[in-house]
Amino acid sequence: MAQTTPGQKSPAIEVAPLSARRLYARPFNGLVAIHVSRKRLPPGASTTPWVSPMTGATAFLEWMRDRALPLWAAQGVDRVHGGFFEKLNADGTPADLPRRARVLGRQIYVFSRAPALGWTGPAEDIVNHGLDALPAFLRPDGLAHYRLDAKGQPLDDRPDLYDQAFVLFGLAHALPVAADPERIRVIADTMRRALEDLRGHPVAGYEEDSPPSLPLKANPHMHLLEAALAWATALPTQDGGPWRDMADRIARLALDRFVDPGTGAVREYYDGDWRALPHGAEPQIEPGHQFEWGWLLTRWGHMRDHAGAVAAGRRLVDLGETKGVDAARGVAFGGLGPDLEPTDTAARLWPQTERIKAWVQRRDRPTSADERSHAEGRIEAAVAGLMPYLRTDRPGLFHDRLTADGAFIDEPAPASSLYHLMTAAEELAGTRPPDMTQGDQPSPA
C-alpha cells in the first residue's frame, strides 16, 4: 500500500480490466478473500499503476463494476413503462411493484457515477432514460409524488420529504450527462423553492407534510443536506449560493437539535418544535445514521471551516462503531435505546456501507498516523462485514437483511440499496466529486 502522511488523501483505486489480471481465492476467517496478481500485458497495453490498498475493498469494487452494475442495467431498467424496477427477485427478474420517486433519483445517481468506477456500459443512456420518467412524478407545485403505478399513474399524491431529497440528489449527479442540463437545473430550482415556500418549518428545516404532520424526522433532512452539498458542488460557485444556504441551515439544525448534547447521538423523531420524542416502538437512535450523519457533518465542517461540526461528526462515527456494531457478526445493527444499549439487532445492508464511508473519511483526514492506521483497520472490518451480503446465487444481487442469529432473509433485492453500495464504492475508489473548499465560497452566517 502506498504510504501517505496525516492529512494527505489516500490514492484513488484503479481497478484494472479483468483480462489484465489473474484472480485466486483462499479462505480467511470463514470468508473468501479474493487475491489478484498481474498478468504480463501485451506490447502497447496500458501500464497505469493499479493500487490495491486492501483485498476486500478490491473485491467489492470489482463486484460493483462487473456484477451489480451490468445486472441492474439489464434487469432493473423498465424499457416498457419507463423508469426503474423497485426490486429484483432471486432469479434476477423484476418484481411488479409501485415505483417510488426516491428509487428513480437513486438509480439516476448510481448510473451517473458508474463510469467513474470503470463501468463501460450504457450509463448515459440509462441516466437519460431515468430523466425521461421524471415528469410523471412531478406535481404542479414542483414537488414529486411519492409513488406511481407501473403505468406511471400516481398512487399517492403526497410529496414525501424523503423522496424530494433523492430526486434532487439524483438530478445533481445527472447534470454532466443530461441531454438537457438546463431543464434539470430548472426542475431542481423549482423543487428547492417549493420546499422553502410550501414546506418550510417556522423554526428551522422542513415540515414532513402539508398540512404539517408529526413526528418531524431527522432522516429526510440528512438526505436533503446530502443533496444540497451535491448541487453546491455540481454548479459554478456563483450559482451555488442557494444550495450552500440550504446546506448551512440543515447542518446548523442538526448541530442545534438533532445531536443529543449528553450522548452525542443523533435522534430520529421530534415534536412540532424540534424537541426529541421519547423512545418508542421505532428506535430513536440508529447506528447506521450515526455513521451517515457523522460523514456528512464532517464533510460540511471541513467545507465551511466549522470545527464544532467536525468534532460532532467524529464523535458520531466513534459512537456508531463502539455502540452499534455487533462484534460476533461483524456488522452494524438496527437500533439503540436511550442508554445506547441494543434494541434492534437485525442488520440491514445499508448501515454496512455507511460504516465504510465514515472510516474512509477518517483515514483520509486523520489527526495522527495512529488514527490513520486505526481507520484502515476499521475499513477492513466494515468491508468484511459487507461482503457476505453480496454472496448470492445470482451474481449482482444482494441480501438486504441479516437476522440477529446470523441468517439472511430470503427476499427480493431492493434497488434502493444500490445507492448505498455506490456511495461506499465511490469513497473507497476515491471517485466522488471533490467538495468545495472554504476559499471557493462565502462563510456561513
Side-chain angles (χ1 to χ4, degrees):
M1 178 176 176
Q3 295 298 308
T4 52
T5 58
Q8 176 187 354
K9 189 170 183 178
S10 296
I13 299 170
E14 290 196 25
V15 182
L18 285 178
S19 59
R21 288 173 285 120
R22 180 181 296 110
L23 283 76
Y24 62 97
R26 66 178 178 85
F28 179 75
N29 287 348
L31 304 176
V32 176
I34 306 298
H35 296 260
V36 185
S37 62
R38 297 289 291 185
K39 289 174 63 177
R40 186 183 303 276
L41 297 175
S46 171
T47 57
T48 301
W50 175 62
V51 181
S52 177
M54 58 193 72
T55 297
T58 303
F60 168 50
L61 292 173
E62 289 178 348
W63 174 89
M64 191 72 184
R65 184 199 63 198
D66 299 330
R67 299 298 189 181
L69 289 169
L71 175 65
W72 288 87
Q75 299 295 105
V77 180
D78 187 349
R79 295 293 184 178
V80 176
H81 298 112
F84 303 97
F85 294 111
E86 283 273 329
K87 297 183 179 183
L88 294 183
N89 296 311
D91 61 357
T93 58
D96 185 16
L97 296 166
R99 315 295 172 81
R100 294 173 296 171
R102 67 190 65 179
V103 170
L104 181 70
R106 287 185 176 199
Q107 296 296 74
I108 287 172
Y109 154 73
V110 166
F111 287 100
S112 294
R113 300 303 305 158
L117 291 185
W119 189 60
T120 58
E124 186 170 333
D125 170 71
I126 293 173
V127 171
N128 282 285
H129 168 87
L131 294 174
D132 288 343
L134 179 59
F137 280 93
L138 296 179
R139 295 158 34 114
D141 60 11
L143 299 176
H145 294 292
Y146 167 54
R147 60 179 182 167
L148 309 178
D149 66 19
K151 295 182 180 180
Q153 298 303 308
L155 288 174
D156 191 326
D157 189 59
R158 67 188 176 95
D160 189 272
L161 192 58
Y162 192 91
D163 291 85
Q164 315 312 306
F166 278 107
V167 171
L168 289 172
F169 182 73
L171 293 180
H173 290 90
L175 204 59
V177 296
D180 187 352
E182 184 56 31
R183 169 175 165 265
I184 299 308
R185 287 185 60 167
V186 169
I187 291 172
D189 282 337
T190 301
M191 184 172 287
R192 178 183 53 76
R193 287 194 298 268
L195 284 172
E196 305 294 347
D197 295 342
L198 303 177
R199 302 289 284 276
H201 187 279
V203 175
Y206 303 93
E207 300 281 4
E208 282 296 312
D209 210 339
S210 181
S213 64
L214 296 177
L216 298 175
K217 300 174 185 176
N219 192 21
H221 288 77
M222 179 177 69
H223 292 297
L224 284 170
L225 173 58
E226 184 180 30
L229 294 178
W231 271 102
T233 298
L235 294 175
T237 303
Q238 65 271 19
D239 296 336
W243 298 102
R244 288 192 296 270
D245 291 345
M246 184 181 193
D248 291 346
R249 285 184 278 108
I250 295 172
R252 286 195 294 267
L253 173 65
L255 294 170
D256 293 344
R257 299 299 181 99
F258 298 167
V259 178
D260 185 321
T263 64
V266 165
R267 296 158 298 182
E268 298 290 328
Y269 304 107
Y270 298 82
D271 69 12
D273 294 316
W274 287 117
R275 293 183 297 237
L277 295 174
H279 186 80
E282 295 293 326
Q284 257 283 40
I285 302 171
E286 295 189 22
H289 286 160
Q290 310 310 301
F291 291 119
E292 202 165 1
W293 270 112
W295 178 76
L296 278 167
L297 287 175
T298 302
R299 274 182 66 191
W300 181 82
H302 283 294
M303 291 163 62
R304 303 302 260 164
D305 196 21
H306 194 297
V310 174
R314 291 169 60 88
R315 186 179 181 187
L316 284 165
V317 173
D318 291 338
L319 187 151
E321 187 71 23
T322 58
K323 298 295 186 179
V325 174
D326 177 7
R329 291 175 295 163
V331 293
F333 52 82
L336 298 168
D339 55 358
L340 302 184
E341 291 299 317
T343 58
D344 176 7
T345 54
R348 293 191 62 191
L349 178 148
W350 70 263
Q352 319 318 316
T353 67
E354 300 307 327
R355 185 185 177 202
I356 291 170
K357 288 163 53 181
W359 285 111
V360 170
Q361 182 185 66
R362 181 72 62 87
R363 179 200 65 193
D364 291 344
R365 290 187 174 273
T367 58
S368 67
D370 286 345
E371 186 174 74
R372 179 188 295 280
S373 178
H374 175 71
E376 287 172 346
R378 293 302 84 209
I379 295 168
E380 292 184 17
V383 173
L386 171 67
M387 292 304 288
Y389 289 80
L390 313 184
R391 299 190 184 111
T392 59
D393 292 338
R394 180 67 185 267
L397 294 179
F398 41 81
H399 302 290
D400 184 55
R401 291 187 290 172
L402 180 69
T403 64
D405 59 3
F408 285 110
I409 295 175
D410 185 12
E411 59 188 340
S416 57
S417 292
L418 207 59
Y419 145 81
H420 289 286
L421 290 161
M422 177 59 85
T423 60
E426 286 223 273
E427 291 301 304
L428 283 167
T431 60
R432 178 171 56 81
D435 289 325
M436 304 169 294
T437 63
Q438 183 64 21
D440 295 332
Q441 51 188 303
S443 297

